[in-house]
Amino acid sequence: MKNLRTRRTIRRYSDRPVDDGLLGRLIDEATRTQTMGNLQLYSVVITRSQEMKEQLAPAHFNQPMVTQAPVVLTVCADFNRTSQWARCRQAEPGYDNFLSFLNAATDALLYTQTLCCRLDEKGLGYCFLGTTLYQPMRIIEILGLPKLVMPVATLTIGWPDENPPQSDRLPLKALIHNEMYQEYTPQLIDQFYEYKESLPENKHFVEINNKQTLAQVFTDIRYTRSDNEAMSQGLLDALRHQGFL
């Protein structure tokens, strides 16, 4: 049994199947997470077929775990179900707006994290794909998501076939602000990022990308301004298409 202190991102999975009963039980147990107004503003699309996984893969930049994992879960911010319930009960919903998307997205992400904890406890491996919001229209079209339903998180799930090292984390004091937010001085930045920047794998990362600092790898290669702006526009277009803007 694993916990947060030992968790690792798993990208390679064994051929051992993920039992429907086990997965369903974990998905159900995770519904006890916090939710706005007790409305559970999320839905989960379970993808098991190889054909559907291959359709989803390009939306996640063809990361191999999308097609190799036994299960892919797409967690959606969902105000469609609540709106349909309201209309069926002589109530007029007003959830076609950005605030409603943020509320539903918060519900969906809280749910996703709780589910991840349950997966850890059962020994299942998973990878949280940060690409879900990069090309959301592809996912919307493939999964047939209606208005007021927006993909916000994807998990690839299976029994681990690797035991990778844990990723580094910043020291706790880098994250904590007592009473009021305290600005980060250059001296504090040096202190808080010293360990991360000293790791051999991160030094190698800088070297192979022909950069001077690790920060430049992130700003100039991994998460560039042009990419961020283009994908932001795609996200806004998807939110309009889904009726949240």
Side-chain angles (χ1 to χ4, degrees), residues 76-125:
C76 303
D78 186 347
F79 245 121
N80 175 57
R81 183 181 61 248
T82 300
S83 296
Q84 297 289 6
W85 169 62
R87 294 189 184 99
C88 289
R89 298 295 182 268
Q90 297 77 52
E92 184 57 37
Y95 308 124
D96 53 346
N97 45 68
F98 187 58
L99 177 62
S100 296
F101 166 69
L102 287 179
N103 286 331
T106 299
D107 260 25
L109 293 172
L110 284 169
Y111 173 82
T112 301
Q113 184 57 59
T114 300
L115 178 58
C116 287
C117 291
R118 294 298 292 126
L119 295 169
D120 274 325
E121 290 168 2
K122 292 299 180 181
L124 281 158

Side-chain angles (χ1 to χ4, degrees), residues 166-229:
Q166 285 187 298
S167 300
D168 63 271
R169 292 292 184 265
L170 293 173
L172 183 60
K173 57 187 176 181
L175 314 176
I176 298 298
H177 300 260
N178 290 313
E179 309 299 344
M180 295 181 64
Y181 191 98
Q182 303 296 315
E183 185 55 275
Y184 294 97
T185 64
Q187 293 76 19
L188 287 174
I189 291 297
D190 289 344
Q191 177 184 342
F192 295 155
Y193 284 85
E194 179 182 9
Y195 174 71
K196 178 185 286 287
E197 293 172 338
S198 70
L199 292 172
E201 57 267 33
N202 285 339
K203 287 185 174 181
H204 180 64
F205 206 21
V206 174
E207 181 181 356
I208 63 175
N209 284 287
N210 296 312
K211 293 297 176 181
Q212 295 176 310
T213 69
L214 183 62
Q216 289 176 346
V217 176
F218 285 86
T219 61
D220 300 354
I221 296 175
R222 294 195 67 186
Y223 308 112
T224 67
R225 175 182 292 276
S226 60
D227 285 347
N228 288 337
E229 290 177 346

Side-chain angles (χ1 to χ4, degrees), residues 23-155:
L23 182 62
R25 186 166 67 253
L26 298 179
I27 289 174
D28 180 44
E29 290 171 355
T31 64
R32 301 313 305 174
T33 196
Q34 306 93 319
T35 171
M36 193 194 83
N38 200 31
L39 291 172
Q40 295 179 253
L41 303 172
Y42 52 84
S43 287
V44 182
V45 180
I46 303 172
T47 301
R48 284 185 176 273
S49 80
Q50 195 63 28
E51 178 184 357
M52 289 296 291
K53 286 186 284 188
E54 288 173 0
Q55 288 186 48
L56 284 170
H60 297 290
F61 297 92
N62 291 305
Q63 296 178 86
M65 57 275 197
V66 176
T67 53
Q68 197 256 328
V71 182
V72 176
L73 297 187
T74 305
V75 185
C76 303
D78 186 347
F79 245 121
N80 175 57
R81 183 181 61 248
T82 300
S83 296
Q84 297 289 6
W85 169 62
R87 294 189 184 99
C88 289
R89 298 295 182 268
Q90 297 77 52
E92 184 57 37
Y95 308 124
D96 53 346
N97 45 68
F98 187 58
L99 177 62
S100 296
F101 166 69
L102 287 179
N103 286 331
T106 299
D107 260 25
L109 293 172
L110 284 169
Y111 173 82
T112 301
Q113 184 57 59
T114 300
L115 178 58
C116 287
C117 291
R118 294 298 292 126
L119 295 169
D120 274 325
E121 290 168 2
K122 292 299 180 181
L124 281 158
Y126 60 89
C127 180
F128 181 98
L129 302 185
T131 47
T132 307
L133 294 178
Y134 288 3
Q135 301 181 79
M137 279 307 306
R138 282 197 178 194
I139 299 173
I140 289 166
E141 292 165 1
I142 292 165
L143 300 182
L145 304 182
K147 298 287 186 181
L148 299 186
V149 180
M150 185 76 178
V152 294
T154 302
L155 298 175

